[in-house]
């Protein structure tokens, strides 16, 4: 599993209803992350994608 931290920008894999996009992590839960989409048609929208949707860390908050 990828280690995720608050403020990280991650790449969310494409699904049936959305393209691959960047997502800013605001919360790390037991089974998902919470935060906001930064790019694509969901930009600005809050979501809670499961960990398996996170492809990689695009930019670390450090």
């Amino acid at each position: 599993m990828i280690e995720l931290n608050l403020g990280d920008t991650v790449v969310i894999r494409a699904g049936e209803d959305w393209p691959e996009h960047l997502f800013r992590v605001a919360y790390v839960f037991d089974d998902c992350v919470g935060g906001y989409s930064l790019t694509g048609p969901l930009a600005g929208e809050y979501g809670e994608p499961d960990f398996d949707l996170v492809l990689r860390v695009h930019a670390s908050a450090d």
Side-chain angles (χ1 to χ4, degrees), residues 21-33:
H21 62 281
L22 297 179
F23 184 88
R24 172 84 33 84
V25 176
Y27 307 98
V28 178
F29 301 111
D30 291 335
D31 59 346
C32 66
V33 292

Side-chain angles (χ1 to χ4, degrees), residues 8-26:
D8 285 352
T9 300
V10 298
V11 178
I12 301 295
R13 74 170 170 82
E16 280 187 33
D17 299 325
W18 65 87
E20 184 175 293
H21 62 281
L22 297 179
F23 184 88
R24 172 84 33 84
V25 176

Side-chain angles (χ1 to χ4, degrees):
M1 180 158 97
I2 301 169
E3 183 177 333
L4 300 174
N5 298 296
L6 302 182
D8 285 352
T9 300
V10 298
V11 178
I12 301 295
R13 74 170 170 82
E16 280 187 33
D17 299 325
W18 65 87
E20 184 175 293
H21 62 281
L22 297 179
F23 184 88
R24 172 84 33 84
V25 176
Y27 307 98
V28 178
F29 301 111
D30 291 335
D31 59 346
C32 66
V33 292
Y36 293 88
S37 295
L38 299 176
T39 60
L42 300 173
E45 296 291 323
Y46 179 83
E48 294 181 350
D50 291 337
F51 288 130
D52 64 341
L53 294 176
V54 178
L55 293 176
R56 64 187 172 280
V57 174
H58 176 74
S60 177
D62 296 346

